[in-house]
Each structure stands twice: as structure tokens, then as C-alpha cells.
Amino acid sequence: MSETSPRLRAVLEGIPTYKPGKPAAAGGPASFKLSSNENPYPPLPGVMESALAAAGTLNRYPDMAATELMNELSERFAVPVSHLATGTGSVGVAQQLLQITAGPGDEVIYPWRSFEAYPIVVRISGAAAVEIPLTPEETHDFDAMADAITERTRLIFVCNPNNPTGTVAHRDELERFLDRVPGDVLVVLDEAYREFNRDLDVPDGIDLYRDRPNVCVLRTFSKAYGLAGLRIGFAIAHEPVATGLRKTAVPFGVSQLAQDAAVASLRSEDELLDRVASLVTERARVVEALRAQGWTVPETQANFVWLRLGERTTDFAEACARAGVVVRPFAGEGVRTTVAEVEANDLFLKAAEKFRQEL
Ligand SMILES: Cc1ncc(COP(=O)(O)O)c(C=O)c1O
């Protein structure tokens, strides 16, 4: 066998592999996975039926143009089909956005800490990652983000609500920021958790996109719509961004199961949004209980809560695991916990209370 191995791009050396949230432990005491911001509810019967019907055509390639879904989204959001593009989860679309905008020598700005896929997709593109620390209130530092723009900046991520803090950007600050971004720099408004927001001062990214050709909105069916396992997300953007996304899509990457389940979900939106409302109610209960225990919890508008535990992060996550809930630690920084079914939230609250008492 040859001693040499294929030469890979040097950028790969510095790229961390995406770490999925840990699964719940098999067997043993009750164990809940609160580490990936998934929806705890199973698919609605209608959604399941349409996915199962699509399973009968697995010998065929899916509709590459996702025609039915595009038409549904176009109507739902009052945007032309030519401004829509789907992908294998919104993270797949995010990767395509990098492919069409940035490469070696370019820069991409994003808040940090934020969604852990940003550094990965940016570095894969070969562009330099420019990470702008969150403010002490755990929100985007828009002044610092705007100040960081250079001739080389090609793309900026805004995560609203932000993962993992749950904090939001308000209309006035976001508009002021967008006004400072040159028209040839793409701003991606990642709204994966949009449906969980109840703060009326948070703008709908789609309103901001309409008269700003450099704004792209990312949405997903993975969270509120509960289809994480089917890998389907979409972007709303003007041309030529949307056209570029269609060019870079993996051919037939979005399965017919995913397309049909997404259409059925949009048609079952009232029921799905009722479930979101229950999770929002649970979120308020969890935040209130944590604060009553003495924790500092940033205001969250997503389906998770953030505790900045610093050095105690790993210990806290281990204590939760022992109590039957798997949370998401970011070592040395904090823990993100998904708001899920009542029983899981109760176990988490109990573990948090015990940990606090033992401090
Ligand atoms: C902020 C944010 N954007 C995008 C995604 C990706 O979701 P998906 O690829 O499942 O659509 C996630 C998932 O955790 C997220 O937190």
C-alpha cells in the first residue's frame, strides 16, 4: 500500500467536526434529549400520512424543483417562486450561501457564541471567520459587527433568535445595522426559531428582505414544524442569490418525503402552532422557575434556555445527565437546554435546583 494519502484542502485542518447533541441514554431511568432543540411532539397524523404515501415512490427521484412546496411557500409568504430555494436543512442552505459568496481571501462576520455550524461552513469555504462577541446581555453587538465590515466582507450571519442564548434583535437596531451594510454584502437572517418568538419588537425577516436585495432569510421545518429528521429548510432571497442557491443545490437533495411532509405541515399549521404555543407556555414556566432558584437567565424567544455557567458547565451537564436529561454543554461557557415535554422540563428544573443548592 502507498505511504501517501490524497492531498486534501489545507482549510480542513482547522475545521471542527459538527457535534450533534448527545442522544438520550438507552434504558435505565427516564431519559430525555434536551440537547438539539428538537420538537418533542411526534409528526401530526396528516403529516405522517403524506410522508408514508411518498415512501411508496422511493424508487423515483424527487421533484427537483420542489414545485408543490415552492407554490405553497410562495403563497404563504407572498414571495415569488423565483425568490425561494430549498436545501437539506437550513444548515445545507447556509453552506450553499457560503459557496455562492465567499472563498479564500474573503471574510464572513457572525456573532459569537452563536449557531455552531457557522464556523464550520465558513471555514469550509476557505473564507476567514470574523467572530464578534455577544454583548454582556448575550445579544448581537451590531455596532461591532458593522465596524468589522471591510472590503473583503462577503456575508454576515444574524441569528434571530440567537442559538444558544435565545436572545433577540429588535427592529430598530437591526434596521440601523442593515443600513450600514454595503449593498454588495449578503446579510443572512437565520430565523430557525422564528415561530417561538413572542416579542412584538422582533421584525419578521421577510419584511426586511422585501426592499433589500442583499438580505436573505433562512427558515427551517426542523424546529416548530417538527421535521428535523427529514432535513428540509429554505431561503427567501432576491435574485441572483436565489438563483445561485438553485445552482449549488445537491441534485435531488431534498427527498419527496421531506417535500410532501413540509407541504402537509404548512397545511396543518394551526395545529402545529398550537403545539408551539404550549412550548412557549412551558418556556415561561421554566424561565420563571430557574430565576426563582436564583439563576440568571437571559430573556429567550426560542425553544431553549441558556445558562452561562462558565467553569461549572461540564459539571452541570453531568448532573443533568444523572437526573435523566441530556443538555447541551459548551465547555467553559454555558449550557443550552431545550424546552420540551413537561416531564422532561421538571426533571431539568429539579437537577438545576439541586446543583444550585450544592454550590
Ligand atoms: C440557528 C440555527 N440555524 C439553523 C439550524 C439548522 O437547522 P436545520 O439544518 O435542521 O434546518 C439550527 C439547528 O439547530 C439552528 O440552531
Side-chain angles (χ1 to χ4, degrees), residues 41 198 268-280:
Y41 297 105
R198 292 294 181 269
S268 312
E269 210 167 35
D270 289 349
E271 281 159 280
L272 285 170
L273 294 183
D274 279 350
R275 292 171 161 194
V276 168
S278 308
L279 291 169
V280 167

Side-chain angles (χ1 to χ4, degrees), residues 80-290:
V81 167
S82 61
H83 286 197
L84 287 163
T86 52
T88 52
S90 55
V91 75
V93 185
Q95 191 155 359
Q96 291 172 250
L97 286 166
L98 263 306
Q99 274 182 300
I100 66 172
T101 56
D106 298 329
E107 294 172 358
V108 176
I109 298 172
Y110 52 85
W112 197 249
R113 178 162 283 275
S114 190
F115 180 34
E116 56 270 31
Y118 297 157
I120 299 174
V121 294
V122 171
R123 291 192 174 102
I124 290 172
S125 76
V130 180
E131 299 186 340
I132 306 297
L134 297 175
T135 65
E137 291 75 40
E138 311 275 12
T139 56
H140 287 44
D141 187 341
F142 283 116
D143 287 337
M145 286 172 71
D147 290 344
I149 297 171
T150 71
E151 286 281 293
R152 295 173 172 221
T153 309
R154 294 290 176 271
L155 184 150
I156 304 174
F157 281 112
V158 169
C159 191
N160 199 21
N162 187 50
N163 174 5
T165 56
T167 48
V168 288
H170 288 140
R171 184 174 290 104
D172 51 352
E173 56 179 337
L174 190 45
E175 283 185 350
R176 227 178 308 125
F177 170 71
L178 292 175
D179 289 344
R180 283 188 67 188
V181 179
D184 62 355
V185 175
L186 182 67
V187 180
V188 178
L189 303 179
D190 183 345
E191 298 187 331
Y193 302 98
R194 161 89 198 154
E195 295 82 2
F196 297 97
N197 174 62
R198 292 294 181 269
D199 181 338
L200 297 178
D201 289 332
V202 174
D204 181 335
I206 298 171
D207 293 338
L208 298 175
Y209 125 94
R210 289 194 196 280
D211 58 358
R212 294 178 194 262
N214 68 329
V215 168
C216 167
V217 179
L218 264 189
R219 298 274 179 99
T220 181
F221 284 99
S222 297
K223 309 295 178 182
Y225 291 90
L227 299 179
L230 284 177
R231 312 307 302 127
I232 178 164
F234 63 97
I236 299 178
H238 293 259
E239 293 166 60
V241 177
T243 319
L245 288 174
R246 285 191 293 273
K247 284 183 187 170
T248 50
V250 172
F252 308 111
V254 179
S255 71
Q256 201 62 49
L257 253 79
Q259 293 180 31
D260 291 0
V263 169
S265 296
L266 288 167
R267 291 179 185 161
S268 312
E269 210 167 35
D270 289 349
E271 281 159 280
L272 285 170
L273 294 183
D274 279 350
R275 292 171 161 194
V276 168
S278 308
L279 291 169
V280 167
T281 304
E282 267 302 280
R283 174 178 77 197
R285 182 178 78 88
V286 169
V287 169
E288 203 176 307
L290 287 170

Side-chain angles (χ1 to χ4, degrees), residues 32-50:
F32 294 92
K33 182 181 176 211
L34 306 183
S35 53
S36 294
N37 299 339
E38 293 154 331
N39 194 318
Y41 297 105
L44 287 175
V47 174
M48 191 92 99
E49 274 158 26
S50 73

